[in-house]
Amino acid sequence: MKRLPTLLACSLLASANVSAASRGTASTFRYKPTSDDERPVVVDATIGPQGSDFAMRLKFDKLPFGEECKQRCANVTLFLDTDSSTQSGLHLATKGPENGADVAVVIQGVREYKRQDAPPVLMLRVKVRQLGTDANSTDGGELLADLNNRQDPERIQTDGTTVYLLVDATSALLPSARKVRVVYHPPGGKAVQATIPGMLGSSSGRGVQIFKHGSGNWGRAPDADPKKPRTPAPGDNG
C-alpha cells in the first residue's frame, strides 16, 4: 500500500452523545469501548461532505478485518439522517435514535472462500443502503453500493485500524438539508450522535478531505505519526 500523504483537514472532536458542528469543519464523535465489545468497534470518527460524497475517517479499537479477528471481525452500522428529519427515512417499531435515517452504511470484515483448496480472501466490505419511509429495518431500502477495499480503492482504503471511505450522495431520491445527523449505535451500548454540515450547507466540499481532488492520493489522519512505517493489516495482501 502506498504511503499516505498529509490529511487536508482539521477535525472537531466531540465526546459521545454530544452533537457538534462547526462551519468548514467536520464533526467527529468518539466512543469508549466496553468489555462487552467482542468485535472491533469505531472509537473515533470524522465525517463530513466532500463534493458530492460523504467522506469518512473511521478509527477502530482493533483491526477491523484479517486473521487477528478471525470470525469476530467488524460489523458496524453508521446511520446518516441526511435531512435531519424523522418524517423521512427509517421507521423502526421502537422510537430509537436511528429513526429518520436516510442512509445506512454497513461495514464488515469478511472472509470469502473462493476455492476449497485455497485460503480465504480477507477483506473489508461496505454496503450502503438508502432507507425510504417504507423501510423498517437496516436491511430495508435500496442497495446503493456494495464495496470492498480490494476492488474499490477509489472509495475505500484501510491503514491498520483506520478506514477511509467515500459514500456517494448523488441519488436523486436522497433528501438533502443544511445539517445531517449521524448515529452510531454500538451493540449493547448507548447511541452516539453528532451533527455535521449537509450537502446544502455552505461548507459542503470544504470539510473532511480524505484524498486530494479525487486523485486517489489518500490522506493520513491529522494525529497520525508521519514517521511511523506503514505495514498492511495481517491477512491483507493488497
Side-chain angles (χ1 to χ4, degrees):
M1 187 181 295
K2 296 181 180 179
R3 187 175 185 271
L4 303 180
T6 304
L7 181 67
L8 303 178
C10 59
S11 62
L12 174 67
L13 298 181
S15 60
N17 300 312
V18 176
S19 296
S22 175
R23 185 171 180 173
T25 306
S27 296
T28 301
F29 67 78
R30 284 181 173 178
Y31 168 71
K32 185 177 181 179
T34 68
S35 57
D36 296 330
D37 294 318
E38 296 181 3
R39 293 178 181 269
V41 294
V42 176
V43 294
D44 187 288
T46 303
I47 304 172
Q50 179 176 310
S52 60
D53 301 308
F54 284 108
M56 302 184 180
R57 186 206 68 192
L58 309 174
K59 293 184 177 182
F60 287 78
D61 62 331
K62 43 197 168 187
L63 292 173
F65 74 104
E67 286 294 351
E68 183 175 297
C69 55
K70 298 188 182 299
Q71 302 295 335
R72 303 292 292 174
C73 293
N75 187 9
V76 305
T77 302
L78 294 174
F79 295 91
L80 302 180
D81 182 358
T82 57
D83 59 355
S84 289
S85 172
T86 57
Q87 300 303 310
S88 63
L90 180 65
H91 280 75
L92 298 173
T94 57
K95 295 183 179 180
E98 297 87 351
N99 274 309
D102 303 291
V103 174
V105 182
V106 182
I107 304 166
Q108 298 173 315
V110 299
R111 306 163 67 92
E112 288 193 356
Y113 292 87
K114 302 294 184 179
R115 303 197 320 264
Q116 284 187 326
D117 59 343
V121 177
L122 310 175
M123 68 182 74
L124 194 71
R125 187 177 187 181
V126 176
K127 288 187 177 182
V128 181
R129 289 188 177 275
Q130 181 173 332
L131 306 172
T133 54
D134 57 342
N136 54 22
S137 71
T138 306
D139 295 329
E142 177 187 359
L143 181 64
L144 297 181
D146 190 347
L147 313 170
N148 68 70
N149 64 305
R150 290 175 174 269
Q151 296 177 320
D152 305 285
E154 75 284 358
R155 287 279 163 186
I156 176 173
Q157 287 273 346
T158 63
D159 179 16
T161 59
T162 302
V163 174
Y164 298 90
L165 177 64
L166 285 177
V167 176
D168 189 349
T170 57
S171 172
L173 299 179
L174 189 65
S176 298
R178 292 186 177 276
K179 298 295 181 182
V180 172
R181 188 169 56 93
V182 179
V183 181
Y184 173 49
H185 204 157
K190 294 183 178 180
V192 180
Q193 298 189 60
T195 301
I196 64 173
M199 288 299 171
L200 297 185
S202 60
S203 62
S204 179
R206 294 186 299 161
V208 178
Q209 292 188 2
I210 55 176
F211 67 84
K212 294 181 180 179
H213 310 298
S215 65
N217 296 318
W218 290 83
R220 179 181 289 278
D223 55 348
D225 183 358
K227 297 180 180 179
K228 183 180 179 180
R230 288 180 34 73
T231 56
D236 181 9
N237 297 322

